[in-house]
Amino acid sequence: MENIKNIIFDLGGVLVGLDGQRSIDAFDRLGCQRVSQYIVEHRTEDLFYRIELGLISTHEFCEEVREMTQTTATDEQMVAAWNALLTPLSELRAARLLQWHRKGYRIFLLSNTNDMHWQHCARVLFPEEVLKAFSQVFLSYEMQLAKPDRRIFEEVLRQADIRADETLFIDDNQDNVATAATLGIVAFHNKNIDQWTEALQL
């Protein structure tokens, strides 16, 4: 990895953890069992796919959940239940990211996510120094593209003005890793959340 100058991080499964049961329990308490079933199945379609692509707003998402489940839960309650999926950036992961940033690597984030999750990360889960370490943040709901679509990787390379062969991409999804590799990006499949902190030496 001698030529690496840029590091692109995925969010869930790489920087922050995913606790599906915690979110399921929160939705169930709101009477939203049909929503919690999505989390069990890890589906990316219908309502959840549209919010991830930025095709509907957070309020529209909550309105559809209310109609679908007949719940009287507020937007705030549903946002909190959905954000319960995410666990904080650990000190270990934060330290390694910042170490690479201080060494001069340009740090980027590329995530299939929605406004609810990103705002929760930015306001609650990420220390300010980590947020400042990102040269740019690329989010599916803003780009209206999602991994593993090849176009989102092409757009990141173009907007960041970086070369594929000088870029390391860390993601927990094999399809995303495989697509990135077709563009010449050095891709690492992170099979457990802290694997990259030990396996990658830069």
Side-chain angles (χ1 to χ4, degrees), residues 6-49:
N6 319 292
I7 306 168
I8 303 175
F9 286 93
D10 179 34
L11 181 60
V14 174
L15 293 179
V16 301
L18 303 173
D19 187 341
Q21 191 58 54
R22 192 167 66 165
S23 188
I24 287 168
D25 291 344
F27 273 117
D28 284 350
R29 286 193 295 272
L30 298 176
C32 300
Q33 283 77 16
R34 286 181 64 187
V35 176
S36 64
Q37 190 61 35
Y38 158 82
I39 300 169
V40 173
E41 296 173 359
H42 298 284
R43 291 187 290 113
T44 53
E45 59 188 30
D46 305 329
L47 174 62
F48 291 88
Y49 187 66

Side-chain angles (χ1 to χ4, degrees), residues 90-152:
S90 71
E91 290 184 7
L92 170 65
R93 280 170 255 135
R96 183 54 56 85
L97 183 153
L98 291 170
Q99 178 188 46
W100 289 347
H101 173 63
R102 293 182 188 116
K103 283 185 174 182
Y105 294 99
R106 295 183 68 198
I107 305 295
F108 301 88
L109 180 72
L110 172 59
S111 177
N112 288 358
T113 195
N114 55 72
D115 183 56
M116 292 176 277
H117 284 351
W118 175 242
Q119 292 303 322
H120 184 60
C121 286
R123 294 171 182 167
V124 179
L125 301 185
F126 281 16
E128 185 176 352
E129 61 181 341
V130 169
L131 288 173
K132 290 181 177 179
F134 293 117
S135 294
Q136 285 178 261
V137 172
F138 298 94
L139 307 171
S140 62
Y141 79 91
E142 293 181 334
M143 301 176 75
Q144 296 191 340
L145 289 168
K147 299 174 289 185
D149 190 326
R150 180 184 174 97
R151 292 174 298 170
I152 198 169

